[in-house]
Amino acid sequence: MKATSFRNLGVGLTVFAVFWLFVTLYPLSFTIVSSFKDNTEIFSSPMSLPSVLRIENYTRALLQATILRNIANSLFLSVISVALLLFLVSICSYVLAREKAKWAVVVYLVFLSGFLLPVHSALIPLTKLVSALGGYNNYAMLIILFVSYNAPLSVFLVTGYMKTVSKELDEAAFLDGCGYFQTVIYVILPVSAPIFATAGIVAFLFIYNDLIFSILFLSKKTLYTVSIGLSAFVGERIVEYGPIFASIVLSSLPMVAIYLLFQEKVQKGITEGAIKG
Amino acid sequence: MKSKYAPFLMVLPLLALYLLFVFYPVANAVLSSFFSWNGIASSPQVFVGLRNYIDLAKDPRYFRAFANSGRFIIGSLLFLMPLSFALGGIIVSGVRGSRVMKAAYFLPVVLSLTAISLMWRSILYPNGGPLNALLEGMNLDRLAQNWLGDVRFAIWAVVFVNMWTYAGLNMLIFAAGLVSIPQEIWDSVAIDGAGKVARFWYITLPSLKESFKAFLVLAVSGSLKVFDIVFIMTGGGPNGSSDTPATLLYFQAFRFNRFGIGNAIGTLILLFGLAWALLVNRAVRKLEA
């Protein structure tokens, strides 16, 4: 790390660093702690540790509620969408990175303009389109939407990276008789693996956490995703809170695991996308 | 073998999806904002000119929703900016534990906004929620409030949770700017004997122009787009007091079938975001010139 004017934090910043650490982590620890409590304990002593670990909150969440199904649904949607997205991005970005013609530059800019298009502005016409295509309660439709809406960030990340990949690799492949398509799949894709990992992980995160497309286009309970499954707790007459906290913990675990495993990539991908926006 | 059509065919699939499902709906929303439509496929769209926009301007609900975006922006400028700037400084300082802190500060960004909203709903719960319990424990009962059920506090509670969620992301934007300041500059000003304040004012701040630009664009476009947190935490309530343009668009269109008004709101979200991005870019370019 380079030195900056912050080399010595000083008392004020140190205290603040610890304070914000507490503010950041408290809601998470409160949720985890409450997931092991019963109602009485949650409300009469919200700040204390559970007197006994009520594991049954978890078994109940898993058995009674549909959270496990929701998690499986979200994971399924994310995996398929990311796979399709990365395949389409790989062939598209390769052309955008190599082609010098004006049309390619225009296409690239059209993709980048997506950073400035708010998803909510699109919702009403999109609903019409989805309904015309028979896309309600249809995972194929959702996957296509996830691919389309994650395209700008992925194209931006991957095209930028591929521009740095040496052209000699392509030329060697062409000499060996590879077509454009084969060159991408067998030569360029493998050397661009790091950026595909970044783009894929970030898209995975966004898709797994999606709320708006799920509430608009899914009404069948068996198809519910994590966000819509959790949001169903709001406004419902709740008998027991413990299993709800357990459901929040369970449904967040995949994302926390991915984050802890690929911290740098997650941070880099999301931040670059944000800066571009 | 390089076929002449291969490049087009390779770009086409993704481009077609993007144009059809992202670009076209946004363009269509702008166009449809000059029409009135009740959402029934067989009934026609009627051209009404600017009437949707005039209705928006007359109805205080819409004004309030955009004013709430203003509150998110105020929160971003007054609190989130110094907060994430300080966090950025902390994590690039290299002090012990700064790596762990960086990981922790960023953690909320990867959680689903639904999960975050549910956590904060329970923390802010008026009877037996930990925030009020804490206040009562410190004999500050008077400060305990029905945070999400009171028109005075609901919107600010949501503004806070939004800042809590994105502090880690903005921290990295400032951190990226801070580490890009070359070491030689610090060495040379150290020789010149510049004081802490002077260093901050003449070196740190000017070097972070790109970070501030990114922050300002992101903060405002993000403020205009807030949806999930409000939708789950308050549903726009109590009494519409915490509605944002995006939640109002959703309720007007998908609960009350007022699609023309919805598209007008969507168009304004788009236009305000674009105008602000252009403004910030131009201002930064002027600063550089």
Short mmCIF file of all heavy atoms in Angstrom, two decimals, chain B residues 120-170:
data_model
loop_
_atom_site.label_atom_id
_atom_site.label_comp_id
_atom_site.label_asym_id
_atom_site.label_seq_id
_atom_site.Cartn_x
_atom_site.Cartn_y
_atom_site.Cartn_z
N TRP B 120 -32.98 -4.35 8.83
CA TRP B 120 -33.15 -3.01 9.41
C TRP B 120 -34.57 -2.78 9.89
O TRP B 120 -34.80 -2.06 10.84
CB TRP B 120 -32.71 -1.93 8.42
CG TRP B 120 -31.24 -1.75 8.44
CD1 TRP B 120 -30.34 -2.22 7.54
CD2 TRP B 120 -30.47 -1.05 9.44
NE1 TRP B 120 -29.06 -1.87 7.91
CE2 TRP B 120 -29.12 -1.15 9.06
CE3 TRP B 120 -30.79 -0.36 10.61
CZ2 TRP B 120 -28.09 -0.59 9.82
CZ3 TRP B 120 -29.77 0.21 11.36
CH2 TRP B 120 -28.44 0.09 10.96
N ARG B 121 -35.53 -3.39 9.23
CA ARG B 121 -36.91 -3.30 9.73
C ARG B 121 -36.99 -3.81 11.15
O ARG B 121 -37.63 -3.21 12.00
CB ARG B 121 -37.84 -4.15 8.85
CG ARG B 121 -38.61 -3.39 7.82
CD ARG B 121 -39.39 -4.37 6.97
NE ARG B 121 -40.53 -4.91 7.70
CZ ARG B 121 -41.78 -4.49 7.54
NH1 ARG B 121 -42.04 -3.56 6.66
NH2 ARG B 121 -42.77 -5.02 8.22
N SER B 122 -36.31 -4.93 11.42
CA SER B 122 -36.42 -5.46 12.78
C SER B 122 -35.61 -4.64 13.76
O SER B 122 -35.99 -4.50 14.92
CB SER B 122 -36.02 -6.94 12.84
OG SER B 122 -35.27 -7.32 11.74
N ILE B 123 -34.48 -4.07 13.31
CA ILE B 123 -33.71 -3.23 14.23
C ILE B 123 -34.49 -1.97 14.59
O ILE B 123 -34.44 -1.51 15.73
CB ILE B 123 -32.35 -2.87 13.59
CG1 ILE B 123 -31.48 -4.12 13.54
CG2 ILE B 123 -31.65 -1.76 14.38
CD1 ILE B 123 -30.20 -3.95 12.78
N LEU B 124 -35.24 -1.45 13.63
CA LEU B 124 -35.99 -0.21 13.87
C LEU B 124 -37.39 -0.46 14.42
O LEU B 124 -38.17 0.47 14.60
CB LEU B 124 -36.09 0.59 12.56
CG LEU B 124 -34.75 1.03 11.95
CD1 LEU B 124 -34.96 1.67 10.59
CD2 LEU B 124 -34.03 2.00 12.88
N TYR B 125 -37.70 -1.74 14.66
CA TYR B 125 -39.02 -2.09 15.16
C TYR B 125 -39.32 -1.32 16.44
O TYR B 125 -38.50 -1.28 17.36
CB TYR B 125 -39.07 -3.61 15.41
CG TYR B 125 -40.45 -4.16 15.56
CD1 TYR B 125 -41.28 -4.29 14.46
CD2 TYR B 125 -40.91 -4.56 16.82
CE1 TYR B 125 -42.56 -4.80 14.60
CE2 TYR B 125 -42.19 -5.08 16.96
CZ TYR B 125 -43.00 -5.19 15.85
OH TYR B 125 -44.27 -5.68 15.99
N PRO B 126 -40.50 -0.66 16.53
CA PRO B 126 -40.71 0.26 17.66
C PRO B 126 -40.78 -0.42 19.02
O PRO B 126 -40.22 0.09 19.99
CB PRO B 126 -42.04 0.95 17.32
CG PRO B 126 -42.69 0.10 16.26
CD PRO B 126 -41.59 -0.60 15.55
N ASN B 127 -41.44 -1.57 19.13
CA ASN B 127 -41.57 -2.21 20.44
C ASN B 127 -40.64 -3.40 20.56
O ASN B 127 -40.93 -4.47 20.01
CB ASN B 127 -43.01 -2.68 20.68
CG ASN B 127 -43.99 -1.56 20.39
OD1 ASN B 127 -43.84 -0.45 20.89
ND2 ASN B 127 -44.97 -1.86 19.55
N GLY B 128 -39.52 -3.20 21.22
CA GLY B 128 -38.60 -4.31 21.42
C GLY B 128 -37.54 -4.42 20.35
O GLY B 128 -36.73 -5.34 20.39
N GLY B 129 -37.52 -3.50 19.39
CA GLY B 129 -36.41 -3.47 18.43
C GLY B 129 -35.16 -2.98 19.13
O GLY B 129 -35.25 -2.18 20.06
N PRO B 130 -33.98 -3.44 18.72
CA PRO B 130 -32.76 -3.10 19.45
C PRO B 130 -32.43 -1.61 19.50
O PRO B 130 -31.87 -1.16 20.49
CB PRO B 130 -31.66 -3.88 18.73
CG PRO B 130 -32.27 -4.43 17.51
CD PRO B 130 -33.74 -4.42 17.66
N LEU B 131 -32.78 -0.83 18.48
CA LEU B 131 -32.43 0.59 18.54
C LEU B 131 -33.18 1.27 19.67
O LEU B 131 -32.58 1.96 20.51
CB LEU B 131 -32.71 1.29 17.21
CG LEU B 131 -32.40 2.80 17.25
CD1 LEU B 131 -30.91 3.03 17.49
CD2 LEU B 131 -32.84 3.50 15.98
N ASN B 132 -34.50 1.07 19.72
CA ASN B 132 -35.27 1.68 20.79
C ASN B 132 -34.90 1.09 22.15
O ASN B 132 -34.88 1.79 23.16
CB ASN B 132 -36.77 1.52 20.53
CG ASN B 132 -37.28 2.58 19.56
OD1 ASN B 132 -36.54 3.47 19.17
ND2 ASN B 132 -38.54 2.46 19.17
N ALA B 133 -34.59 -0.21 22.18
CA ALA B 133 -34.17 -0.84 23.44
C ALA B 133 -32.89 -0.18 23.95
O ALA B 133 -32.75 0.09 25.15
CB ALA B 133 -33.95 -2.33 23.23
N LEU B 134 -31.99 0.11 23.03
CA LEU B 134 -30.74 0.76 23.40
C LEU B 134 -31.01 2.14 23.97
O LEU B 134 -30.48 2.52 25.02
CB LEU B 134 -29.83 0.87 22.16
CG LEU B 134 -28.51 1.59 22.37
CD1 LEU B 134 -27.54 0.73 23.17
CD2 LEU B 134 -27.88 1.97 21.04
N LEU B 135 -31.87 2.92 23.27
CA LEU B 135 -32.19 4.27 23.73
C LEU B 135 -32.84 4.23 25.10
O LEU B 135 -32.51 5.03 25.99
CB LEU B 135 -33.09 4.97 22.71
CG LEU B 135 -32.44 5.31 21.38
CD1 LEU B 135 -33.47 5.77 20.37
CD2 LEU B 135 -31.36 6.38 21.57
N GLU B 136 -33.76 3.28 25.29
CA GLU B 136 -34.44 3.18 26.58
C GLU B 136 -33.46 2.76 27.66
O GLU B 136 -33.52 3.24 28.80
CB GLU B 136 -35.63 2.21 26.49
CG GLU B 136 -36.87 2.88 25.89
CD GLU B 136 -37.79 1.91 25.16
OE1 GLU B 136 -37.73 0.69 25.45
OE2 GLU B 136 -38.55 2.37 24.29
N GLY B 137 -32.54 1.86 27.30
CA GLY B 137 -31.54 1.42 28.25
C GLY B 137 -30.65 2.56 28.72
O GLY B 137 -30.13 2.54 29.84
N MET B 138 -30.46 3.57 27.84
CA MET B 138 -29.62 4.71 28.23
C MET B 138 -30.46 5.82 28.84
O MET B 138 -30.00 6.96 28.94
CB MET B 138 -28.86 5.23 27.01
CG MET B 138 -27.94 4.19 26.41
SD MET B 138 -26.70 4.86 25.27
CE MET B 138 -27.68 5.72 24.08
N ASN B 139 -31.71 5.48 29.21
CA ASN B 139 -32.64 6.47 29.77
C ASN B 139 -32.92 7.62 28.80
O ASN B 139 -33.07 8.77 29.19
CB ASN B 139 -32.13 7.03 31.10
CG ASN B 139 -32.41 6.05 32.22
OD1 ASN B 139 -33.45 5.37 32.20
ND2 ASN B 139 -31.49 5.94 33.16
N LEU B 140 -32.92 7.29 27.52
CA LEU B 140 -33.23 8.30 26.51
C LEU B 140 -34.57 7.97 25.86
O LEU B 140 -34.74 8.14 24.65
CB LEU B 140 -32.13 8.34 25.44
CG LEU B 140 -30.77 8.84 25.91
CD1 LEU B 140 -29.70 8.55 24.87
CD2 LEU B 140 -30.83 10.33 26.21
N ASP B 141 -35.52 7.50 26.69
CA ASP B 141 -36.81 7.05 26.16
C ASP B 141 -37.43 8.06 25.20
O ASP B 141 -38.09 7.70 24.25
CB ASP B 141 -37.81 6.82 27.31
CG ASP B 141 -37.27 5.85 28.32
OD1 ASP B 141 -36.07 5.96 28.64
OD2 ASP B 141 -38.04 4.99 28.78
N ARG B 142 -37.21 9.34 25.48
CA ARG B 142 -37.83 10.37 24.65
C ARG B 142 -37.40 10.27 23.20
O ARG B 142 -38.11 10.67 22.30
CB ARG B 142 -37.50 11.75 25.20
CG ARG B 142 -38.38 12.17 26.39
CD ARG B 142 -38.00 13.54 26.85
NE ARG B 142 -36.56 13.67 27.09
CZ ARG B 142 -35.79 14.57 26.49
NH1 ARG B 142 -36.30 15.41 25.64
NH2 ARG B 142 -34.50 14.62 26.77
N LEU B 143 -36.18 9.76 22.99
CA LEU B 143 -35.66 9.68 21.63
C LEU B 143 -36.18 8.46 20.88
O LEU B 143 -36.07 8.37 19.67
CB LEU B 143 -34.14 9.66 21.64
CG LEU B 143 -33.46 10.94 22.12
CD1 LEU B 143 -31.95 10.81 22.02
CD2 LEU B 143 -33.93 12.14 21.29
N ALA B 144 -36.71 7.47 21.61
CA ALA B 144 -37.22 6.27 20.95
C ALA B 144 -38.43 6.64 20.10
O ALA B 144 -39.31 7.36 20.53
CB ALA B 144 -37.61 5.23 22.00
N GLN B 145 -38.43 6.15 18.88
CA GLN B 145 -39.48 6.54 17.94
C GLN B 145 -40.04 5.33 17.21
O GLN B 145 -39.40 4.29 17.15
CB GLN B 145 -38.92 7.50 16.87
CG GLN B 145 -38.30 8.77 17.40
CD GLN B 145 -39.32 9.71 18.00
OE1 GLN B 145 -40.53 9.53 17.80
NE2 GLN B 145 -38.86 10.70 18.74
N ASN B 146 -41.19 5.53 16.60
CA ASN B 146 -41.70 4.55 15.65
C ASN B 146 -41.09 4.90 14.29
O ASN B 146 -41.68 5.55 13.46
CB ASN B 146 -43.23 4.65 15.59
CG ASN B 146 -43.83 3.58 14.71
OD1 ASN B 146 -43.09 2.75 14.16
ND2 ASN B 146 -45.13 3.57 14.57
N TRP B 147 -39.83 4.47 14.11
CA TRP B 147 -38.98 5.00 13.04
C TRP B 147 -39.62 4.88 11.66
O TRP B 147 -39.56 5.82 10.85
CB TRP B 147 -37.62 4.30 13.04
CG TRP B 147 -36.88 4.52 14.32
CD1 TRP B 147 -36.68 3.61 15.31
CD2 TRP B 147 -36.28 5.74 14.78
NE1 TRP B 147 -35.99 4.17 16.36
CE2 TRP B 147 -35.72 5.48 16.05
CE3 TRP B 147 -36.14 7.02 14.22
CZ2 TRP B 147 -35.04 6.45 16.79
CZ3 TRP B 147 -35.47 7.98 14.95
CH2 TRP B 147 -34.93 7.69 16.22
N LEU B 148 -40.20 3.72 11.36
CA LEU B 148 -40.71 3.52 10.00
C LEU B 148 -42.20 3.85 9.91
O LEU B 148 -42.77 3.87 8.83
CB LEU B 148 -40.47 2.08 9.55
CG LEU B 148 -38.99 1.69 9.46
CD1 LEU B 148 -38.83 0.23 9.08
CD2 LEU B 148 -38.28 2.57 8.44
N GLY B 149 -42.84 4.09 11.06
CA GLY B 149 -44.28 4.32 11.05
C GLY B 149 -44.65 5.79 11.23
O GLY B 149 -45.82 6.14 11.33
N ASP B 150 -43.65 6.64 11.29
CA ASP B 150 -43.89 8.06 11.55
C ASP B 150 -43.48 8.85 10.31
O ASP B 150 -42.35 8.71 9.83
CB ASP B 150 -43.05 8.48 12.77
CG ASP B 150 -43.38 9.89 13.24
OD1 ASP B 150 -43.58 10.77 12.38
OD2 ASP B 150 -43.43 10.11 14.46
N VAL B 151 -44.40 9.67 9.79
CA VAL B 151 -44.09 10.39 8.54
C VAL B 151 -42.85 11.27 8.67
O VAL B 151 -42.21 11.57 7.67
CB VAL B 151 -45.27 11.28 8.08
CG1 VAL B 151 -46.40 10.44 7.53
CG2 VAL B 151 -45.75 12.16 9.20
N ARG B 152 -42.50 11.66 9.91
CA ARG B 152 -41.34 12.54 10.04
C ARG B 152 -40.03 11.76 9.86
O ARG B 152 -39.02 12.33 9.46
CB ARG B 152 -41.32 13.20 11.42
CG ARG B 152 -42.37 14.29 11.60
CD ARG B 152 -42.43 14.71 13.05
NE ARG B 152 -42.77 13.58 13.91
CZ ARG B 152 -42.66 13.60 15.24
NH1 ARG B 152 -42.20 14.66 15.84
NH2 ARG B 152 -43.02 12.53 15.94
N PHE B 153 -40.04 10.46 10.20
CA PHE B 153 -38.78 9.73 10.25
C PHE B 153 -38.60 8.69 9.15
O PHE B 153 -37.47 8.35 8.81
CB PHE B 153 -38.61 9.04 11.61
CG PHE B 153 -38.67 9.97 12.76
CD1 PHE B 153 -39.66 9.88 13.71
CD2 PHE B 153 -37.71 10.96 12.88
CE1 PHE B 153 -39.71 10.76 14.77
CE2 PHE B 153 -37.74 11.86 13.94
CZ PHE B 153 -38.75 11.76 14.89
N ALA B 154 -39.70 8.17 8.60
CA ALA B 154 -39.58 7.02 7.70
C ALA B 154 -38.60 7.27 6.56
O ALA B 154 -37.70 6.46 6.32
CB ALA B 154 -40.96 6.65 7.15
N ILE B 155 -38.74 8.41 5.89
CA ILE B 155 -37.87 8.64 4.73
C ILE B 155 -36.41 8.74 5.13
O ILE B 155 -35.53 8.20 4.47
CB ILE B 155 -38.32 9.90 3.93
CG1 ILE B 155 -37.40 10.15 2.73
CG2 ILE B 155 -38.34 11.15 4.80
CD1 ILE B 155 -37.43 9.07 1.68
N TRP B 156 -36.15 9.39 6.29
CA TRP B 156 -34.75 9.52 6.70
C TRP B 156 -34.18 8.19 7.15
O TRP B 156 -32.98 7.92 6.97
CB TRP B 156 -34.61 10.58 7.79
CG TRP B 156 -34.94 11.95 7.29
CD1 TRP B 156 -36.04 12.70 7.60
CD2 TRP B 156 -34.19 12.71 6.32
NE1 TRP B 156 -36.00 13.88 6.90
CE2 TRP B 156 -34.89 13.92 6.11
CE3 TRP B 156 -33.00 12.49 5.62
CZ2 TRP B 156 -34.44 14.89 5.22
CZ3 TRP B 156 -32.55 13.45 4.74
CH2 TRP B 156 -33.27 14.64 4.55
N ALA B 157 -35.02 7.33 7.73
CA ALA B 157 -34.56 5.99 8.10
C ALA B 157 -34.11 5.25 6.85
O ALA B 157 -33.06 4.60 6.82
CB ALA B 157 -35.67 5.22 8.81
N VAL B 158 -34.90 5.37 5.77
CA VAL B 158 -34.55 4.69 4.53
C VAL B 158 -33.30 5.30 3.92
O VAL B 158 -32.43 4.58 3.39
CB VAL B 158 -35.74 4.76 3.55
CG1 VAL B 158 -35.41 3.97 2.31
CG2 VAL B 158 -36.99 4.22 4.19
N VAL B 159 -33.19 6.62 3.99
CA VAL B 159 -31.99 7.29 3.49
C VAL B 159 -30.76 6.74 4.22
O VAL B 159 -29.74 6.43 3.60
CB VAL B 159 -32.08 8.83 3.68
CG1 VAL B 159 -30.72 9.50 3.48
CG2 VAL B 159 -33.10 9.41 2.71
N PHE B 160 -30.89 6.57 5.54
CA PHE B 160 -29.76 6.05 6.30
C PHE B 160 -29.39 4.63 5.86
O PHE B 160 -28.21 4.32 5.64
CB PHE B 160 -30.05 6.05 7.81
CG PHE B 160 -29.01 5.32 8.59
CD1 PHE B 160 -27.79 5.92 8.88
CD2 PHE B 160 -29.21 4.00 8.99
CE1 PHE B 160 -26.80 5.23 9.56
CE2 PHE B 160 -28.22 3.30 9.67
CZ PHE B 160 -27.01 3.93 9.96
N VAL B 161 -30.39 3.77 5.71
CA VAL B 161 -30.10 2.38 5.35
C VAL B 161 -29.45 2.33 3.96
O VAL B 161 -28.54 1.53 3.70
CB VAL B 161 -31.37 1.52 5.40
CG1 VAL B 161 -31.10 0.12 4.86
CG2 VAL B 161 -31.88 1.44 6.83
N ASN B 162 -29.88 3.21 3.07
CA ASN B 162 -29.28 3.28 1.75
C ASN B 162 -27.79 3.66 1.85
O ASN B 162 -26.93 3.07 1.18
CB ASN B 162 -30.03 4.30 0.89
CG ASN B 162 -29.68 4.20 -0.57
OD1 ASN B 162 -29.75 3.13 -1.16
ND2 ASN B 162 -29.28 5.32 -1.15
N MET B 163 -27.48 4.62 2.73
CA MET B 163 -26.08 5.01 2.90
C MET B 163 -25.28 3.87 3.52
O MET B 163 -24.16 3.59 3.12
CB MET B 163 -25.99 6.25 3.80
CG MET B 163 -26.56 7.49 3.16
SD MET B 163 -26.01 8.97 4.01
CE MET B 163 -26.98 8.89 5.49
N TRP B 164 -25.88 3.22 4.52
CA TRP B 164 -25.23 2.09 5.18
C TRP B 164 -24.84 1.03 4.14
O TRP B 164 -23.75 0.47 4.18
CB TRP B 164 -26.18 1.50 6.23
CG TRP B 164 -25.67 0.29 6.95
CD1 TRP B 164 -24.88 0.30 8.06
CD2 TRP B 164 -25.90 -1.08 6.61
NE1 TRP B 164 -24.61 -1.00 8.43
CE2 TRP B 164 -25.21 -1.87 7.56
CE3 TRP B 164 -26.60 -1.73 5.59
CZ2 TRP B 164 -25.21 -3.25 7.54
CZ3 TRP B 164 -26.61 -3.11 5.57
CH2 TRP B 164 -25.92 -3.86 6.54
N THR B 165 -25.76 0.79 3.19
CA THR B 165 -25.53 -0.25 2.20
C THR B 165 -24.37 0.10 1.26
O THR B 165 -23.54 -0.75 0.95
CB THR B 165 -26.79 -0.47 1.35
OG1 THR B 165 -27.89 -0.70 2.23
CG2 THR B 165 -26.63 -1.64 0.40
N TYR B 166 -24.32 1.36 0.82
CA TYR B 166 -23.38 1.70 -0.25
C TYR B 166 -22.11 2.39 0.22
O TYR B 166 -21.28 2.76 -0.61
CB TYR B 166 -24.09 2.55 -1.31
CG TYR B 166 -25.12 1.73 -2.06
CD1 TYR B 166 -26.48 1.96 -1.92
CD2 TYR B 166 -24.70 0.67 -2.87
CE1 TYR B 166 -27.41 1.18 -2.58
CE2 TYR B 166 -25.61 -0.11 -3.53
CZ TYR B 166 -26.97 0.14 -3.38
OH TYR B 166 -27.88 -0.64 -4.04
N ALA B 167 -21.94 2.57 1.54
CA ALA B 167 -20.72 3.22 2.03
C ALA B 167 -19.48 2.48 1.54
O ALA B 167 -18.50 3.09 1.10
CB ALA B 167 -20.74 3.29 3.56
N GLY B 168 -19.54 1.13 1.56
CA GLY B 168 -18.38 0.34 1.19
C GLY B 168 -18.01 0.49 -0.28
O GLY B 168 -16.84 0.50 -0.65
N LEU B 169 -19.01 0.63 -1.12
CA LEU B 169 -18.76 0.80 -2.55
C LEU B 169 -18.10 2.15 -2.80
O LEU B 169 -17.09 2.24 -3.51
CB LEU B 169 -20.09 0.68 -3.32
CG LEU B 169 -20.04 0.94 -4.81
CD1 LEU B 169 -19.10 -0.03 -5.50
CD2 LEU B 169 -21.43 0.82 -5.41
N ASN B 170 -18.65 3.21 -2.22
CA ASN B 170 -18.09 4.54 -2.43
C ASN B 170 -16.72 4.67 -1.79
O ASN B 170 -15.86 5.41 -2.29
CB ASN B 170 -19.06 5.60 -1.90
CG ASN B 170 -20.31 5.66 -2.75
OD1 ASN B 170 -20.25 5.98 -3.92
ND2 ASN B 170 -21.45 5.31 -2.17
#
